[in-house]
Amino acid sequence: MENELSFERKISFEPLLISIFLGAMVAAIIYSIFPRYPLIGVICGLVAFILEALLIYPRYLSNSYGYWKITDNGIYYYDYSTWQKRIKAIFLPSHEKFKKLTFDNIKKFSVVDGKSIMNTQHPLGGSLKAPLARRIHCLVIETNHQQIRLNCAWTSAGLPTTAADIKEIVKMINSRM
């Protein structure tokens, strides 16, 4: 039997539908304010849709959707490394393909939590958006060509990640390297 651990949420049509709904709501509100000029409402609705779908959601996509899994064969993840890949994921979520990382390609890895990541954007350092209630872990993998950061905050079932889950990830990678 194959061991498998999966984390985070899969991308769905939710970001696209929310963007469409936001655009429709803005268009309806502008139309209700200026009923003599329906074109203004349509233009404002389109602008709101474009801003949401092409600027706001791609920026925060990896925080909300970053499904990945680790099996006996390797690590499978969705690659959201470029803006173009994020936009494609929003508009065509069913066409997303896993990217496979075999254990042989892993040069080194580490598991870090939100409190031990230093924030270089803040003059005094500090953690990066650390939650108040619990720690968020990330798996940072270095290969010969790239560095991959995978969030371990939630299991794919929607439950918070436990220390046992983190230990299992480390155990699976260490046993196959």
Side-chain angles (χ1 to χ4, degrees):
M1 184 172 161
E2 185 173 306
N3 292 331
E4 180 179 309
L5 291 172
S6 57
F7 299 92
E8 298 298 320
R9 290 175 27 183
K10 285 185 180 180
I11 186 75
S12 63
F13 283 103
E14 183 180 358
L16 182 61
L17 293 175
I18 290 174
S19 299
I20 292 170
F21 181 73
L22 176 75
M25 291 303 300
V26 168
I29 290 170
I30 298 298
Y31 178 72
S32 68
I33 294 172
F34 304 109
R36 289 185 163 190
Y37 307 105
L39 188 59
I40 292 176
V42 171
I43 291 171
C44 289
L46 283 174
V47 168
F49 167 75
I50 289 170
L51 285 174
E52 180 78 10
L54 299 180
L55 294 177
I56 296 171
Y57 259 117
R59 177 162 168 75
Y60 300 105
L61 187 71
S62 59
N63 294 344
S64 301
Y65 303 97
Y67 180 80
W68 65 278
K69 65 182 178 179
I70 182 169
T71 66
D72 292 333
N73 299 325
I75 299 173
Y76 299 86
Y77 66 98
Y78 292 117
D79 185 16
Y80 299 135
S81 59
T82 65
W83 203 266
Q84 182 179 358
K85 291 177 183 178
R86 293 176 188 178
I87 291 174
K88 181 183 173 197
I90 290 170
F91 284 94
L92 301 169
S94 58
H95 292 335
E96 283 296 297
K97 303 283 189 244
F98 275 123
K99 194 167 184 182
K100 182 180 179 182
L101 177 64
T102 60
F103 295 110
D104 300 337
N105 293 335
I106 297 175
K107 187 173 160 183
K108 68 179 184 175
F109 75 96
S110 62
V111 177
V112 294
D113 62 11
K115 295 202 183 283
S116 63
I117 301 172
M118 291 306 292
N119 184 359
T120 58
Q121 301 300 317
H122 191 273
L124 300 175
S127 60
L128 288 173
K129 300 180 188 173
L132 297 174
R134 62 185 178 81
R135 289 185 170 190
I136 293 179
H137 294 87
C138 294
L139 174 64
V140 179
I141 300 170
E142 287 188 31
T143 65
N144 291 330
H145 307 290
Q146 63 183 349
Q147 182 179 18
I148 303 165
R149 182 182 161 270
L150 302 171
N151 291 334
C152 305
W154 302 94
T155 63
S156 61
L159 301 171
T161 305
T162 63
D165 293 332
I166 301 301
K167 288 178 184 176
E168 187 67 26
I169 292 170
V170 172
K171 185 175 116 181
M172 287 179 79
I173 294 174
N174 280 334
S175 68
R176 286 162 185 84
M177 279 185 63

